[in-house]
PDB file of all heavy atoms in Angstrom:
ATOM      1  N   LEU A  52       8.337 -20.422 -65.516  1.00 93.00           N
ATOM      2  CA  LEU A  52       7.669 -19.183 -65.616  1.00 93.00           C
ATOM      3  C   LEU A  52       8.603 -18.001 -65.829  1.00 93.00           C
ATOM      4  O   LEU A  52       9.869 -18.001 -65.319  1.00 93.00           O
ATOM      5  CB  LEU A  52       6.786 -18.827 -64.432  1.00 93.00           C
ATOM      6  CG  LEU A  52       5.610 -19.739 -64.244  1.00 93.00           C
ATOM      7  CD1 LEU A  52       5.053 -19.508 -62.773  1.00 93.00           C
ATOM      8  CD2 LEU A  52       4.630 -19.675 -65.250  1.00 93.00           C
ATOM      9  N   PRO A  53       8.331 -16.977 -66.587  1.00 90.00           N
ATOM     10  CA  PRO A  53       9.195 -15.768 -66.691  1.00 90.00           C
ATOM     11  C   PRO A  53       9.523 -15.171 -65.322  1.00 90.00           C
ATOM     12  O   PRO A  53       8.558 -15.022 -64.534  1.00 90.00           O
ATOM     13  CB  PRO A  53       8.419 -14.855 -67.587  1.00 90.00           C
ATOM     14  CG  PRO A  53       7.333 -15.709 -68.319  1.00 90.00           C
ATOM     15  CD  PRO A  53       7.101 -16.792 -67.341  1.00 90.00           C
ATOM     16  N   GLY A  54      10.700 -14.835 -65.133  1.00 89.00           N
ATOM     17  CA  GLY A  54      11.225 -14.058 -64.016  1.00 89.00           C
ATOM     18  C   GLY A  54      11.496 -15.039 -62.782  1.00 89.00           C
ATOM     19  O   GLY A  54      11.888 -14.433 -61.752  1.00 89.00           O
ATOM     20  N   ILE A  55      11.421 -16.317 -62.984  1.00 92.00           N
ATOM     21  CA  ILE A  55      11.824 -17.196 -61.830  1.00 92.00           C
ATOM     22  C   ILE A  55      12.736 -18.252 -62.455  1.00 92.00           C
ATOM     23  O   ILE A  55      12.311 -18.921 -63.520  1.00 92.00           O
ATOM     24  CB  ILE A  55      10.563 -17.912 -61.283  1.00 92.00           C
ATOM     25  CG1 ILE A  55       9.553 -17.027 -60.729  1.00 92.00           C
ATOM     26  CG2 ILE A  55      10.866 -18.885 -60.154  1.00 92.00           C
ATOM     27  CD1 ILE A  55       8.303 -17.564 -60.211  1.00 92.00           C
ATOM     28  N   ASP A  56      13.938 -18.392 -61.907  1.00 86.00           N
ATOM     29  CA  ASP A  56      14.807 -19.347 -62.295  1.00 86.00           C
ATOM     30  C   ASP A  56      15.654 -20.138 -61.291  1.00 86.00           C
ATOM     31  O   ASP A  56      16.512 -20.973 -61.498  1.00 86.00           O
ATOM     32  CB  ASP A  56      15.829 -18.693 -63.287  1.00 86.00           C
ATOM     33  CG  ASP A  56      16.972 -17.814 -62.605  1.00 86.00           C
ATOM     34  OD1 ASP A  56      16.735 -17.520 -61.356  1.00 86.00           O
ATOM     35  OD2 ASP A  56      17.847 -17.372 -63.150  1.00 86.00           O
ATOM     36  N   GLY A  57      15.162 -19.966 -59.914  1.00 81.00           N
ATOM     37  CA  GLY A  57      16.008 -20.588 -58.882  1.00 81.00           C
ATOM     38  C   GLY A  57      17.254 -19.847 -58.589  1.00 81.00           C
ATOM     39  O   GLY A  57      17.430 -18.822 -59.214  1.00 81.00           O
ATOM     40  N   PRO A  58      18.077 -20.382 -57.733  1.00 92.00           N
ATOM     41  CA  PRO A  58      17.979 -21.654 -57.031  1.00 92.00           C
ATOM     42  C   PRO A  58      16.749 -21.653 -56.096  1.00 92.00           C
ATOM     43  O   PRO A  58      16.014 -20.656 -55.869  1.00 92.00           O
ATOM     44  CB  PRO A  58      19.196 -21.747 -56.257  1.00 92.00           C
ATOM     45  CG  PRO A  58      19.705 -20.378 -56.076  1.00 92.00           C
ATOM     46  CD  PRO A  58      19.249 -19.608 -57.215  1.00 92.00           C
ATOM     47  N   VAL A  59      16.386 -22.795 -55.478  1.00 96.00           N
ATOM     48  CA  VAL A  59      15.182 -23.086 -54.782  1.00 96.00           C
ATOM     49  C   VAL A  59      15.448 -23.443 -53.339  1.00 96.00           C
ATOM     50  O   VAL A  59      16.377 -24.160 -52.968  1.00 96.00           O
ATOM     51  CB  VAL A  59      14.457 -24.197 -55.479  1.00 96.00           C
ATOM     52  CG1 VAL A  59      13.090 -24.435 -54.777  1.00 96.00           C
ATOM     53  CG2 VAL A  59      14.101 -23.902 -56.882  1.00 96.00           C
ATOM     54  N   GLY A  60      14.663 -22.823 -52.452  1.00 97.00           N
ATOM     55  CA  GLY A  60      14.738 -23.226 -51.036  1.00 97.00           C
ATOM     56  C   GLY A  60      13.307 -23.901 -50.610  1.00 97.00           C
ATOM     57  O   GLY A  60      12.407 -23.661 -51.400  1.00 97.00           O
ATOM     58  N   TYR A  61      13.302 -24.612 -49.508  1.00 97.00           N
ATOM     59  CA  TYR A  61      12.085 -25.191 -48.940  1.00 97.00           C
ATOM     60  C   TYR A  61      12.041 -24.814 -47.536  1.00 97.00           C
ATOM     61  O   TYR A  61      13.030 -24.853 -46.866  1.00 97.00           O
ATOM     62  CB  TYR A  61      11.988 -26.658 -49.231  1.00 97.00           C
ATOM     63  CG  TYR A  61      10.816 -27.168 -48.554  1.00 97.00           C
ATOM     64  CD1 TYR A  61       9.565 -27.323 -49.215  1.00 97.00           C
ATOM     65  CD2 TYR A  61      10.842 -27.744 -47.332  1.00 97.00           C
ATOM     66  CE1 TYR A  61       8.425 -27.807 -48.600  1.00 97.00           C
ATOM     67  CE2 TYR A  61       9.704 -28.230 -46.610  1.00 97.00           C
ATOM     68  CZ  TYR A  61       8.486 -28.213 -47.289  1.00 97.00           C
ATOM     69  OH  TYR A  61       7.416 -28.737 -46.744  1.00 97.00           O
ATOM     70  N   GLU A  62      10.755 -24.461 -47.100  1.00 95.00           N
ATOM     71  CA  GLU A  62      10.652 -24.158 -45.673  1.00 95.00           C
ATOM     72  C   GLU A  62       9.366 -24.630 -45.044  1.00 95.00           C
ATOM     73  O   GLU A  62       8.334 -24.593 -45.778  1.00 95.00           O
ATOM     74  CB  GLU A  62      10.903 -22.708 -45.290  1.00 95.00           C
ATOM     75  CG  GLU A  62       9.710 -21.841 -45.730  1.00 95.00           C
ATOM     76  CD  GLU A  62       9.609 -20.555 -44.846  1.00 95.00           C
ATOM     77  OE1 GLU A  62      10.523 -20.207 -44.058  1.00 95.00           O
ATOM     78  OE2 GLU A  62       8.502 -19.976 -44.877  1.00 95.00           O
ATOM     79  N   GLY A  63       9.353 -25.026 -43.854  1.00 87.00           N
ATOM     80  CA  GLY A  63       8.064 -25.183 -43.077  1.00 87.00           C
ATOM     81  C   GLY A  63       7.381 -26.410 -43.350  1.00 87.00           C
ATOM     82  O   GLY A  63       7.759 -27.308 -43.955  1.00 87.00           O
ATOM     83  N   GLY A  64       6.130 -26.444 -42.820  1.00 87.00           N
ATOM     84  CA  GLY A  64       5.255 -27.617 -43.059  1.00 87.00           C
ATOM     85  C   GLY A  64       5.592 -28.816 -42.396  1.00 87.00           C
ATOM     86  O   GLY A  64       6.214 -28.764 -41.306  1.00 87.00           O
ATOM     87  N   VAL A  65       5.027 -29.988 -42.808  1.00 92.00           N
ATOM     88  CA  VAL A  65       5.347 -31.306 -42.205  1.00 92.00           C
ATOM     89  C   VAL A  65       6.893 -31.544 -42.443  1.00 92.00           C
ATOM     90  O   VAL A  65       7.297 -31.701 -43.632  1.00 92.00           O
ATOM     91  CB  VAL A  65       4.470 -32.395 -42.887  1.00 92.00           C
ATOM     92  CG1 VAL A  65       4.801 -33.717 -42.280  1.00 92.00           C
ATOM     93  CG2 VAL A  65       2.960 -32.037 -42.716  1.00 92.00           C
ATOM     94  N   ILE A  66       7.524 -31.752 -41.353  1.00 94.00           N
ATOM     95  CA  ILE A  66       9.016 -31.849 -41.449  1.00 94.00           C
ATOM     96  C   ILE A  66       9.382 -33.112 -42.241  1.00 94.00           C
ATOM     97  O   ILE A  66      10.488 -32.995 -42.994  1.00 94.00           O
ATOM     98  CB  ILE A  66       9.668 -31.876 -40.013  1.00 94.00           C
ATOM     99  CG1 ILE A  66      11.174 -31.542 -40.239  1.00 94.00           C
ATOM    100  CG2 ILE A  66       9.308 -33.045 -39.356  1.00 94.00           C
ATOM    101  CD1 ILE A  66      11.862 -31.228 -38.876  1.00 94.00           C
ATOM    102  N   SER A  67       8.595 -34.216 -42.342  1.00 95.00           N
ATOM    103  CA  SER A  67       8.995 -35.388 -43.012  1.00 95.00           C
ATOM    104  C   SER A  67       8.917 -35.002 -44.593  1.00 95.00           C
ATOM    105  O   SER A  67       9.741 -35.485 -45.341  1.00 95.00           O
ATOM    106  CB  SER A  67       8.150 -36.480 -42.711  1.00 95.00           C
ATOM    107  OG  SER A  67       8.384 -36.915 -41.336  1.00 95.00           O
ATOM    108  N   ILE A  68       8.045 -34.205 -44.954  1.00 96.00           N
ATOM    109  CA  ILE A  68       7.984 -33.792 -46.338  1.00 96.00           C
ATOM    110  C   ILE A  68       9.186 -33.025 -46.751  1.00 96.00           C
ATOM    111  O   ILE A  68       9.930 -33.254 -47.760  1.00 96.00           O
ATOM    112  CB  ILE A  68       6.730 -32.879 -46.599  1.00 96.00           C
ATOM    113  CG1 ILE A  68       5.442 -33.950 -46.662  1.00 96.00           C
ATOM    114  CG2 ILE A  68       6.800 -32.355 -48.117  1.00 96.00           C
ATOM    115  CD1 ILE A  68       4.146 -33.094 -46.697  1.00 96.00           C
ATOM    116  N   GLY A  69       9.727 -32.069 -45.815  1.00 96.00           N
ATOM    117  CA  GLY A  69      10.823 -31.277 -46.080  1.00 96.00           C
ATOM    118  C   GLY A  69      12.063 -32.197 -46.102  1.00 96.00           C
ATOM    119  O   GLY A  69      13.048 -32.000 -46.972  1.00 96.00           O
ATOM    120  N   VAL A  70      12.100 -33.288 -45.282  1.00 97.00           N
ATOM    121  CA  VAL A  70      13.275 -34.153 -45.285  1.00 97.00           C
ATOM    122  C   VAL A  70      13.369 -34.843 -46.654  1.00 97.00           C
ATOM    123  O   VAL A  70      14.446 -34.999 -47.318  1.00 97.00           O
ATOM    124  CB  VAL A  70      13.210 -35.141 -44.108  1.00 97.00           C
ATOM    125  CG1 VAL A  70      14.299 -36.256 -44.336  1.00 97.00           C
ATOM    126  CG2 VAL A  70      13.325 -34.481 -42.797  1.00 97.00           C
ATOM    127  N   ARG A  71      12.269 -35.452 -47.068  1.00 97.00           N
ATOM    128  CA  ARG A  71      12.236 -36.178 -48.401  1.00 97.00           C
ATOM    129  C   ARG A  71      12.603 -35.260 -49.526  1.00 97.00           C
ATOM    130  O   ARG A  71      13.328 -35.596 -50.496  1.00 97.00           O
ATOM    131  CB  ARG A  71      10.828 -36.856 -48.538  1.00 97.00           C
ATOM    132  CG  ARG A  71      10.635 -37.487 -49.826  1.00 97.00           C
ATOM    133  CD  ARG A  71      11.429 -38.837 -50.052  1.00 97.00           C
ATOM    134  NE  ARG A  71      10.996 -39.720 -49.055  1.00 97.00           N
ATOM    135  CZ  ARG A  71       9.906 -40.594 -49.077  1.00 97.00           C
ATOM    136  NH1 ARG A  71       8.957 -40.531 -50.148  1.00 97.00           N
ATOM    137  NH2 ARG A  71       9.619 -41.401 -48.092  1.00 97.00           N
ATOM    138  N   LEU A  72      12.013 -34.008 -49.590  1.00 97.00           N
ATOM    139  CA  LEU A  72      12.245 -33.122 -50.681  1.00 97.00           C
ATOM    140  C   LEU A  72      13.783 -32.725 -50.695  1.00 97.00           C
ATOM    141  O   LEU A  72      14.412 -32.673 -51.767  1.00 97.00           O
ATOM    142  CB  LEU A  72      11.431 -31.858 -50.497  1.00 97.00           C
ATOM    143  CG  LEU A  72      10.153 -31.908 -51.214  1.00 97.00           C
ATOM    144  CD1 LEU A  72       9.296 -30.662 -50.876  1.00 97.00           C
ATOM    145  CD2 LEU A  72      10.233 -31.937 -52.779  1.00 97.00           C
ATOM    146  N   ALA A  73      14.359 -32.397 -49.533  1.00 96.00           N
ATOM    147  CA  ALA A  73      15.775 -32.055 -49.464  1.00 96.00           C
ATOM    148  C   ALA A  73      16.625 -33.208 -49.775  1.00 96.00           C
ATOM    149  O   ALA A  73      17.737 -32.980 -50.370  1.00 96.00           O
ATOM    150  CB  ALA A  73      16.093 -31.662 -47.983  1.00 96.00           C
ATOM    151  N   ARG A  74      16.126 -34.501 -49.690  1.00 96.00           N
ATOM    152  CA  ARG A  74      17.066 -35.617 -49.993  1.00 96.00           C
ATOM    153  C   ARG A  74      16.872 -35.831 -51.577  1.00 96.00           C
ATOM    154  O   ARG A  74      17.965 -36.133 -52.176  1.00 96.00           O
ATOM    155  CB  ARG A  74      16.549 -36.805 -49.364  1.00 96.00           C
ATOM    156  CG  ARG A  74      17.319 -38.074 -49.627  1.00 96.00           C
ATOM    157  CD  ARG A  74      16.869 -39.243 -48.824  1.00 96.00           C
ATOM    158  NE  ARG A  74      15.597 -39.782 -49.296  1.00 96.00           N
ATOM    159  CZ  ARG A  74      15.440 -40.576 -50.264  1.00 96.00           C
ATOM    160  NH1 ARG A  74      16.414 -40.964 -51.063  1.00 96.00           N
ATOM    161  NH2 ARG A  74      14.193 -41.119 -50.618  1.00 96.00           N
ATOM    162  N   VAL A  75      15.752 -35.808 -52.125  1.00 97.00           N
ATOM    163  CA  VAL A  75      15.543 -36.258 -53.523  1.00 97.00           C
ATOM    164  C   VAL A  75      15.527 -35.077 -54.656  1.00 97.00           C
ATOM    165  O   VAL A  75      15.716 -35.408 -55.736  1.00 97.00           O
ATOM    166  CB  VAL A  75      14.216 -37.054 -53.650  1.00 97.00           C
ATOM    167  CG1 VAL A  75      14.346 -38.221 -52.695  1.00 97.00           C
ATOM    168  CG2 VAL A  75      12.964 -36.218 -53.431  1.00 97.00           C
ATOM    169  N   GLU A  76      15.356 -33.904 -54.235  1.00 97.00           N
ATOM    170  CA  GLU A  76      15.171 -32.878 -55.219  1.00 97.00           C
ATOM    171  C   GLU A  76      16.442 -31.944 -55.271  1.00 97.00           C
ATOM    172  O   GLU A  76      16.688 -31.248 -54.454  1.00 97.00           O
ATOM    173  CB  GLU A  76      14.048 -31.945 -54.888  1.00 97.00           C
ATOM    174  CG  GLU A  76      13.847 -30.738 -55.787  1.00 97.00           C
ATOM    175  CD  GLU A  76      13.740 -31.182 -57.266  1.00 97.00           C
ATOM    176  OE1 GLU A  76      12.914 -31.860 -57.608  1.00 97.00           O
ATOM    177  OE2 GLU A  76      14.757 -30.805 -57.959  1.00 97.00           O
ATOM    178  N   PRO A  77      17.235 -32.196 -56.358  1.00 96.00           N
ATOM    179  CA  PRO A  77      18.578 -31.508 -56.523  1.00 96.00           C
ATOM    180  C   PRO A  77      18.411 -30.031 -56.615  1.00 96.00           C
ATOM    181  O   PRO A  77      19.381 -29.288 -56.324  1.00 96.00           O
ATOM    182  CB  PRO A  77      19.221 -32.256 -57.656  1.00 96.00           C
ATOM    183  CG  PRO A  77      18.060 -32.710 -58.597  1.00 96.00           C
ATOM    184  CD  PRO A  77      17.068 -33.164 -57.589  1.00 96.00           C
ATOM    185  N   ARG A  78      17.240 -29.509 -57.092  1.00 96.00           N
ATOM    186  CA  ARG A  78      17.126 -28.083 -57.266  1.00 96.00           C
ATOM    187  C   ARG A  78      16.917 -27.369 -55.905  1.00 96.00           C
ATOM    188  O   ARG A  78      17.005 -26.072 -55.844  1.00 96.00           O
ATOM    189  CB  ARG A  78      15.929 -27.728 -58.195  1.00 96.00           C
ATOM    190  CG  ARG A  78      16.243 -28.227 -59.582  1.00 96.00           C
ATOM    191  CD  ARG A  78      15.007 -28.205 -60.508  1.00 96.00           C
ATOM    192  NE  ARG A  78      14.045 -29.204 -60.008  1.00 96.00           N
ATOM    193  CZ  ARG A  78      12.826 -29.455 -60.748  1.00 96.00           C
ATOM    194  NH1 ARG A  78      12.583 -28.771 -61.878  1.00 96.00           N
ATOM    195  NH2 ARG A  78      12.052 -30.330 -60.244  1.00 96.00           N
ATOM    196  N   ILE A  79      16.691 -28.063 -54.858  1.00 96.00           N
ATOM    197  CA  ILE A  79      16.577 -27.418 -53.510  1.00 96.00           C
ATOM    198  C   ILE A  79      18.005 -27.322 -52.987  1.00 96.00           C
ATOM    199  O   ILE A  79      18.607 -28.422 -52.720  1.00 96.00           O
ATOM    200  CB  ILE A  79      15.636 -28.173 -52.662  1.00 96.00           C
ATOM    201  CG1 ILE A  79      14.105 -28.153 -53.087  1.00 96.00           C
ATOM    202  CG2 ILE A  79      15.679 -27.711 -51.160  1.00 96.00           C
ATOM    203  CD1 ILE A  79      13.197 -28.846 -52.372  1.00 96.00           C
ATOM    204  N   VAL A  80      18.447 -26.130 -52.658  1.00 96.00           N
ATOM    205  CA  VAL A  80      19.798 -26.042 -52.212  1.00 96.00           C
ATOM    206  C   VAL A  80      19.908 -25.650 -50.710  1.00 96.00           C
ATOM    207  O   VAL A  80      21.046 -25.580 -50.207  1.00 96.00           O
ATOM    208  CB  VAL A  80      20.563 -24.916 -53.052  1.00 96.00           C
ATOM    209  CG1 VAL A  80      20.557 -25.300 -54.550  1.00 96.00           C
ATOM    210  CG2 VAL A  80      19.961 -23.568 -52.883  1.00 96.00           C
TER     211      VAL A  80
END
């Protein structure tokens, strides 16, 4: 989308989802 380019953070929610995302998604810094 215009105006958004990262980098990306993730916060909150079910902690296991955050663990998996932080492990597999390289755009999350």
Side-chain angles (χ1 to χ4, degrees):
L52 294 174
I55 301 175
D56 70 348
V59 180
Y61 175 86
E62 75 149 13
V65 178
I66 195 168
S67 293
I68 293 176
V70 171
R71 175 73 59 81
L72 271 171
R74 181 178 72 80
V75 304
E76 177 49 70
R78 292 169 293 187
I79 292 177
V80 302

